[in-house]
Amino acid sequence: MSRGFKIFITILLVLLFFFLFRVKEERIFNFSYQLQKRIEERINEFIVREAKKQISAPPALLSYKDSLEGNLTPTGVILWTNVEREKNGLPLLRENFYLDASAKAKLKDMFENQYFAHYSTSGVGVGELAQRYGYEFIAVGENLALGNFKDDQDLVQEWMASPPHRRNILNSRYQDIGVAVGRGIFEGKPTWIAVQHFGLPLSACPQPEEGLKEKIEANQEKLRKLQILIENLQEELKSIRPKWSTAYKQKVAEYNNLVEKYNTLLEETKILVNEYNNQVKIFNNCVAGE
């Protein structure tokens, strides 16, 4: 074998070694990059949405009764409402300070602005009104009545004779009640207006952990920052020559270390997301009455 041929073989082996080494490094890079790219697809599964709050507001009840000696009281209206619930095997409603306040505000607003409807002249309904006065709820309902009723029992019987108002009174999910009644001038005539606010408080269903959601959001921010670092290193790796140099190997190691951190944090976040979503599903099932 001639000396020239030996030199040729040696050069060929060296080039082959460099080529194989370079391919090996690039495979590490490409594999890591694909792992990193999957983060957006997987984290976008976050998060199950919480169910909407429920509001029941049947058409306002207008009575043509004209009992001039009639008298209404919040205590009596609550009493006879609970009598009807008890007759139907339902738990009694608890008088609630915040719902009393929202019912009084509704009564006052209707007399002052001369309307008789579930939404005020400015578009405020029972849900917003209850929250405004401090009642956080899963479900709320409102019964309205206008007329000169004989007494509290007479008023409640009128509501019970109306299927949609009856459904509010006998709604098995409601736990709280607030009532306001008042006599005043409506459209030029003296009359009584009565307001019932029913509620199922937010505390009745297990709440998803706010701290868990905050942890997920914090992890997402960390993942975004790591992604920027990884993308910057990717660009650096593309520009380094030669690919078999010590500088290139160090950058590949740094890159893969970041990707490993990224993917570890991703897996941790997925576990948190699954836990949070399970909590949201339990909450939603409770809201739906399941």
Side-chain angles (χ1 to χ4, degrees):
M1 183 181 295
S2 66
R3 184 170 179 274
F5 183 73
K6 290 180 179 179
I7 293 173
F8 172 76
I9 292 298
T10 301
I11 293 172
L12 186 61
L13 289 172
V14 170
L15 289 174
L16 181 61
F17 171 79
F18 286 153
F19 174 76
L20 290 174
F21 182 82
R22 179 180 177 182
V23 169
K24 180 181 178 183
E25 293 289 359
E26 288 182 345
R27 280 178 179 171
I28 294 172
F29 174 84
N30 289 333
F31 176 69
S32 300
Y33 179 69
Q34 289 303 319
L35 282 178
Q36 180 267 333
K37 287 296 289 181
R38 285 204 296 270
I39 177 61
E40 290 185 5
E41 299 172 7
R42 295 162 73 181
I43 206 64
N44 280 340
E45 298 170 4
F46 170 71
I47 283 170
V48 174
R49 300 299 175 188
E50 293 183 13
K52 291 182 178 179
K53 296 179 178 181
Q54 301 170 2
I55 298 174
S56 173
L61 178 67
L62 178 61
S63 174
Y64 294 98
K65 289 188 174 183
D66 195 17
S67 177
L68 298 179
E69 301 301 321
N71 186 59
L72 301 178
T73 66
T75 302
V77 173
I78 294 173
L79 171 66
W80 286 105
T81 296
N82 276 330
V83 166
E84 294 299 332
R85 288 179 67 88
E86 189 172 27
K87 285 195 299 188
N88 286 273
L90 297 171
L92 305 186
L93 297 173
R94 304 167 303 201
E95 184 172 8
N96 181 274
F97 171 81
Y98 301 109
L99 291 181
D100 275 343
S102 64
K104 289 175 184 176
K106 178 68 175 180
L107 176 69
K108 181 174 182 289
D109 190 56
M110 284 193 292
F111 271 125
E112 287 183 353
N113 292 292
Q114 292 293 289
Y115 72 94
F116 182 59
H118 289 293
Y119 285 92
S120 70
T121 53
S122 59
V124 176
V126 60
E128 184 177 343
L129 200 57
Q131 286 185 310
R132 183 180 295 177
Y133 282 88
Y135 189 77
E136 293 297 328
F137 65 90
I138 292 167
V140 290
E142 180 179 71
N143 280 350
L144 301 178
L146 182 151
N148 287 311
F149 303 93
K150 178 182 176 182
D151 53 27
D152 301 319
Q153 183 181 12
D154 185 37
L155 166 63
V156 173
Q157 288 304 312
E158 285 286 313
W159 271 326
M160 287 296 290
S162 166
H165 296 88
R166 177 188 177 92
R167 281 194 293 271
N168 266 349
I169 289 174
L170 299 183
N171 188 320
S172 62
R173 305 199 67 210
Y174 291 146
Q175 297 178 0
D176 301 323
I177 187 172
V179 171
V181 296
R183 184 173 171 83
I185 302 300
F186 185 81
E187 295 182 347
K189 297 180 181 180
T191 189
W192 284 88
I193 293 180
V195 181
Q196 280 183 318
H197 281 178
F198 305 93
L200 176 65
L202 191 62
S203 59
C205 287
Q207 297 293 298
E209 293 179 40
E210 189 62 29
L212 190 57
K213 185 177 180 180
E214 291 173 357
K215 176 65 174 175
I216 291 169
E217 291 170 347
N219 282 4
Q220 286 180 302
E221 182 59 27
K222 291 178 182 178
L223 287 167
R224 280 190 285 269
K225 290 179 179 179
L226 280 171
Q227 182 175 349
I228 292 171
L229 292 174
I230 289 169
E231 289 173 350
N232 289 340
L233 273 176
Q234 178 194 357
E235 294 304 313
E236 288 185 48
L237 284 167
K238 288 179 180 179
S239 63
I240 294 176
R241 296 289 187 277
K243 297 301 184 186
W244 55 82
S245 66
T246 301
Y248 182 80
K249 288 195 292 182
Q250 289 174 343
K251 284 296 178 183
V252 166
E254 185 179 349
Y255 176 90
N256 287 332
N257 181 54
L258 279 177
V259 171
E260 184 178 356
K261 288 181 180 179
Y262 192 99
N263 290 324
T264 298
L265 184 58
L266 169 61
E267 293 304 319
E268 292 175 0
T269 305
K270 281 183 62 185
I271 292 171
L272 294 177
V273 167
N274 289 336
E275 183 179 348
Y276 183 82
N277 283 344
N278 285 335
Q279 292 182 10
V280 171
K281 288 175 182 176
I282 292 171
F283 175 79
N284 288 347
N285 289 340
C286 178
V287 169
E290 297 176 5

